[in-house]
Amino acid sequence: MLGKIDREFAFLEKAIKLRTFRQELIASNIANADTPGYKAKDIDFANALSGAVGNRGDLALSTTHRRHLGPAEGSAMGAQVLYRLEKQASIDGNTVDTDTELANFTDNAVRYQAELTFMNSRIRSLTSAMQTR
Amino acid sequence: MFKVFDIAGSAMTAQSQRLNVVASNLANIDSATSSDGQVYKAKQVVFETTPLSKAQRNVAGVRVREVVEDTAPPRLVYDPTSPFADGNGYVTFPNVNAVEEMVNMISASRSYQTNADMMNTAKTMLLKTLQLGQ
């Protein structure tokens, strides 16, 4: 019974977790806008989400030797962290474009709040289903 | 999401340190001598990426790795009446470039503002998350 309720929320929960990770990545980009040699990073959200929903993200290879390859490092939900294609790199090797990053940051924040709204309405509909007699 | 605060906070600390260095450079632009008798040298900060944790290397803040002294030659001004003039009547002034420092200052303050905005957005998002299901 409770497992079914859990399944109701699984998709949005994964989406929100990925949004949080992406928000942190973009925050790192903006924070390092003046760091020499820093390369801007991001994830392909649609790809990462379909990976996470298809349960690819939660599967970790069992490693029996310390030199075995583990899951993607420095990432969340198995998302693949990619370097952003540079528009105009600085002479010090930094590829952060603050305007692009800020746009992405805001976009991600709005979508995060949208997902929270969906989550809220799902909670509300479940609650009302429970209260109906 | 709380990591955004750490990231933005580290960047704000680093940028304010840069701003301090700029202020020090600009304040000493006309100091012909100092307490140790040496002429002031312009200072620059060097930023470095610092991952918040070993497990997530891609989520990283920033810190000032070191403060380096500018290697540009000092500014020589002909003023034989000055007590600091050398044998040829030249006074050595710091190698501070006022234009560069002003640009540095604006850049630092813009970065600081962006990071403060970022913190605000993260705060709104977190507060919204706390209201989930209410």
Side-chain angles (χ1 to χ4, degrees), chain A residues 47-97:
Chain A
N47 229 335
L49 184 60
S50 68
V53 170
N55 254 338
R56 274 192 280 140
D58 296 337
L59 290 182
L61 291 173
S62 64
T63 51
T64 50
H65 190 270
R66 66 186 163 82
R67 299 191 67 176
H68 280 173
L69 290 175
E73 270 181 50
S75 178
M77 314 281 298
Q80 198 181 1
V81 179
L82 309 161
Y83 288 118
R84 198 185 291 297
L85 289 179
E86 56 191 270
K87 292 205 176 70
Q88 35 182 359
S90 321
I91 202 161
D92 61 3
N94 188 302
T95 64
V96 179
D97 179 25

Side-chain angles (χ1 to χ4, degrees), chain A residues 103-122:
Chain A
N104 278 319
F105 191 83
T106 315
D107 176 89
N108 201 56
V110 171
R111 283 166 199 270
Y112 178 92
Q113 297 194 12
E115 274 150 24
L116 283 186
T117 314
F118 298 150
M119 185 75 119
N120 260 329
S121 61
R122 192 157 290 191

